[in-house]
Amino acid sequence: MLNYTKGALAAFAMGAMSTGAMAADDVTLQLKWVTQAQFAGYYVALENGFYSDEDLNVTIKPGGPDVAPVQVLMGGGADVMVDWMPSALAAREQGAPVVNIAQPFKSSGMMLTCRKDTGITSPSEFPGKTLGVWFFGNEYPFLSWMSSLGISTEGGDGVTVLKQGFNVDPILQGQADCVSTMTYNEYWQIIDAGIGADDLVTFKYEEQGVATLEDGLYVLEEKLGDDAFKDQMARFVRASMKGWKWAEENPADAAMIVLEYDETGAQTEKHQVRMMGEIAKLTAGSDGSLNVADYDRTVATLMGGGSDPVITKMPEGAYTSEITDMAMMK
């Protein structure tokens, strides 16, 4: 028979507790952009213990202008990333085997915002105007839209494309008649700069039939051959969607949670609360599953867009429903 001293028993108990604490699986999420309400569901899940309830220890890494989520994922710096489908499918065609495992965002927030004093009231009046467009893969829905309208993007009788930075300065400084905006972010920057909503005309890509999927969750294809990893991702998606639903129902509280995690201090309460209200419209109705019709529409848009499409062939194996199916089984 083994005899334990009181101290030995205490040490054994502490060791057992440590072993239990270490049982949680580590998961690192790479965001597409900086900490803001666009990613509220993940921060809510972290703050409210939804991840720990799933036995996960989640680290959220903010993005930024110098962060390429695909490169972080490929380099092993993250297990899962948030990305827009255009850039993810482009990366896959170029050799990065990324796979969509969930689609929290059901609708697109992308739109073109124009000054009303330019005389633009419909897309037919775009020719002769200067339009600000985001590049780095974000230009393809625009190019496809112009192609479908038969409008050249080379100037002349068509439109002049201004390569727009991630701000709205061109419309504020009179350099562009219209600029690219998101319903939850840049549009409100224009409003806050002093141009009223009545002085603007907006064209939502969703309503123009050229919207592409945004803010999906992606992992490396080879990892999906590991049952343990798939189980981790199913738990991660389940907890994340719980976070998103909580954020939809409690937008102001969700925005405050985001602000707690914003280490830069660059975000304001007013903007984040407003952003969360708009983001909730984009995640509404989603259980995390990818709608195949929305995927097919995105692919068709990306394969269009004039002479330089973002992808040149139909993707194969670019998404899986296995993870969300597993997530919903519990």
Side-chain angles (χ1 to χ4, degrees):
M1 176 180 288
L2 296 177
N3 294 313
Y4 293 103
T5 65
K6 187 175 180 180
L9 287 171
F12 178 81
M14 289 296 292
M17 290 175 63
S18 298
T19 301
M22 291 177 63
D25 295 314
D26 292 331
V27 172
T28 299
L29 169 67
Q30 175 62 60
L31 302 181
K32 181 175 176 61
W33 195 242
V34 298
T35 300
Q36 58 182 21
Q38 178 183 357
F39 311 107
Y42 309 111
Y43 287 110
V44 165
L46 183 61
E47 179 69 16
N48 287 358
F50 300 158
Y51 289 133
S52 59
D53 289 345
E54 292 286 353
D55 203 22
L56 295 173
N57 176 35
V58 173
T59 299
I60 301 176
K61 298 173 69 171
D66 299 322
V67 177
V70 172
Q71 292 180 7
V72 175
L73 196 68
M74 291 286 289
D79 301 292
V80 55
M81 69 172 180
V82 177
D83 204 358
W84 285 10
M85 189 166 281
S87 59
L89 289 180
R92 185 173 177 85
E93 184 168 290
Q94 294 164 12
V98 297
V99 178
N100 179 295
I101 61 167
Q103 189 60 47
F105 276 46
K106 188 175 182 64
S107 303
S108 167
M110 196 171 185
M111 62 184 181
L112 199 65
T113 298
C114 309
R115 296 183 68 120
K116 188 176 289 184
D117 58 16
T118 62
I120 295 174
T121 58
S122 73
S124 64
E125 293 163 329
F126 287 159
K129 306 298 184 182
T130 297
L131 311 182
V133 179
W134 290 320
F135 278 69
F136 304 104
N138 300 318
E139 73 272 25
Y140 292 101
F142 170 81
L143 294 176
S144 180
W145 183 16
M146 294 300 104
S147 178
S148 69
L149 295 173
I151 298 176
S152 168
T153 56
E154 303 296 330
D157 295 332
V159 299
T160 298
V161 174
L162 174 68
K163 189 173 182 180
Q164 180 184 335
F166 294 102
N167 57 56
V168 294
D169 290 349
I171 199 170
L172 300 179
Q173 299 171 0
Q175 299 168 336
D177 301 290
C178 311
V179 291
S180 298
T181 60
M182 301 302 291
T183 56
Y184 52 81
N185 196 358
E186 290 81 9
Y187 171 79
W188 296 102
Q189 292 177 20
I190 298 175
I191 298 294
D192 289 343
I195 301 179
D198 291 340
D199 296 318
L200 298 170
V201 178
T202 60
F203 301 94
K204 294 183 179 179
Y205 279 63
E206 193 89 22
E207 296 171 355
Q208 300 300 321
V210 290
T212 54
L213 288 170
E214 301 158 2
D215 290 64
L217 292 172
Y218 296 81
V219 302
L220 292 179
E221 186 170 9
E222 61 183 21
K223 287 197 169 186
L224 292 173
D226 181 348
D227 288 341
F229 179 78
K230 288 192 293 186
D231 176 66
Q232 289 175 23
M233 289 300 101
R235 286 182 278 135
F236 174 77
V237 168
R238 183 163 55 235
S240 297
M241 291 312 302
K242 187 176 181 180
W244 276 118
K245 296 305 117 178
W246 192 96
E248 288 176 19
E249 296 169 1
N250 305 275
D253 290 337
M256 296 308 295
I257 289 175
V258 170
L259 287 171
E260 289 178 13
Y261 283 90
D262 175 27
E263 297 181 355
T264 68
Q267 308 293 353
T268 66
E269 180 177 344
K270 175 184 176 182
H271 188 54
Q272 290 308 301
V273 170
R274 188 169 55 191
M275 183 185 290
M276 186 60 239
E278 294 298 322
I279 289 292
K281 299 175 185 177
L282 306 183
T283 58
S286 173
D287 61 4
S289 301
L290 173 65
N291 182 295
V292 176
D294 293 340
Y295 169 82
D296 290 341
R297 180 198 65 202
T298 297
V299 170
T301 298
L302 298 179
M303 293 184 71
S307 60
D308 188 23
V310 64
I311 56 176
T312 60
K313 56 186 178 182
M314 188 68 66
E316 294 184 6
Y319 72 89
T320 178
S321 61
E322 185 176 13
I323 302 301
T324 47
D325 288 346
M326 290 171 61
M328 287 184 271
M329 286 178 65
K330 183 175 179 179

